[in-house]
Amino acid sequence: MDTPADLVRRLRESQACAALTGAGISQESGLRTFRDAQSGLWAQYRPEALASPEAFQRDPKTVWDWYAWRRQAVAGARPNAGHLALAAMSRLLPVFKLITQNVDGLHQMAGSPEVVELHGNIQRVRCADCGSIAPSWEEVTGEVPRCAICGGLLRPDVVWFGESLPREPLEAAVAAARACDLFFSIGTSGIVQPAASLAYAARNRGAVLVEVNAEPTPLTTKVDFALHGKAGEILPALVEAAWGSPISTGPAGQVEAGR
Ligand code: APR
């Protein structure tokens, strides 16, 4: 895979790098994206019927079951070489801030420290009333489990359409975008706000922009480097070109860093 020499140089010289990831980076781990024409979740399900507070109000059981189904898919997934390459970058760069829209926790499983989760995490569950995180819960046939503290319905600790993002991760993401000299947009269609505006915040502060995505997005015409293809192929090639440490998969398909 051809990696632009100028990008390799900038990566090696970066003093503060930030990356935003979306569902595309987990596609090679077997998790479906949202907007891919055929395979995307929103091609099959209506987001307003499953991923909004109104939908939960109307039919909490259907929403709960749909997230339970997705949680199971996530539990069976493993990080791929793209996740590993970003974990390696956090060890190889003086400053590397990883921001994700994904709720699957695969970055953390790959060894990335301090991942900024903008949209929450599907493995966490909280009370829809008092907001307490439920350390554990019991599935009740035909019902949505309830909060042990206030008796309210439990819901996934993710951000639904129409809901605000949690303040701390959002502030950390904006600060990282404004402070970086190199910003990667990886595996995201770049249309969901406020995440989609982070690249522009970085560019407005003079950062070099890189897009790694299977197809062009609204951001493509604004970036300095547009690398179109699979993140699980492009990112390891970039890390290897910059630092000579290959990202490889072991005999059982598990992913390993060269260092
Ligand atoms: N490597 C790189 N890019 C990929 C790959 C891959 N292997 N497979 C798919 N892609 C690209 C697609 O071309 C698409 O542009 O990843 C992008 C995924 O876009 P979306 O499905 O829109 O996902 P995302 O941008 O993360 O969605 C943002 O929307 O539905 C909400 O809350 C949800 O966090 C999500 C947010």
Side-chain angles (χ1 to χ4, degrees), residues 21-25 27-28 33-36 42 101-102 119 159 161 186-192 212-217 229-232:
T21 65
I25 196 163
Q27 186 268 333
E28 293 156 81
T33 66
F34 295 94
R35 290 174 190 81
D36 277 321
W42 300 148
Q101 298 168 88
N102 299 344
H119 296 165
V159 178
F161 288 100
I186 303 166
T188 180
S189 53
I191 56 175
V192 174
V212 176
N213 208 59
E215 58 190 0
T217 73
K230 291 188 169 187

Side-chain angles (χ1 to χ4, degrees), residues 89-232:
M89 282 165 67
S90 70
R91 294 189 296 270
L92 294 158
L93 284 161
V95 174
F96 181 65
K97 295 284 179 187
L98 182 53
I99 306 153
T100 191
Q101 298 168 88
N102 299 344
V103 295
D104 56 33
L106 291 182
H107 285 303
Q108 293 91 326
M109 201 186 277
S112 286
E114 297 170 40
V115 179
V116 176
E117 294 181 313
L118 287 177
H119 296 165
N121 188 308
I122 202 168
Q123 306 284 19
R124 280 195 310 266
V125 158
R126 71 166 201 259
C127 175
D129 291 349
C130 71
S132 309
I133 297 285
S136 65
W137 65 91
E138 268 178 47
E139 292 289 351
V140 189
T141 311
E143 290 179 31
V144 174
R146 288 189 174 268
C147 171
I149 296 169
C150 78
L153 292 179
L154 294 181
R155 55 159 285 175
D157 187 27
V158 300
V159 178
W160 282 331
F161 288 100
E163 291 187 320
S164 311
L165 272 58
R167 192 169 54 81
E168 263 175 54
L170 181 56
E171 285 177 357
V174 171
R178 288 181 175 158
C180 70
D181 54 37
L182 186 59
F183 186 95
F184 286 84
S185 176
I186 303 166
T188 180
S189 53
I191 56 175
V192 174
Q193 295 294 350
S197 60
L198 292 170
Y200 297 89
R203 196 185 63 153
N204 292 345
R205 294 292 176 96
V208 169
L209 291 190
V210 185
E211 179 175 68
V212 176
N213 208 59
E215 58 190 0
T217 73
L219 186 67
T220 303
T221 55
K222 312 283 185 321
V223 301
D224 302 284
F225 299 95
L227 309 180
H228 289 151
K230 291 188 169 187

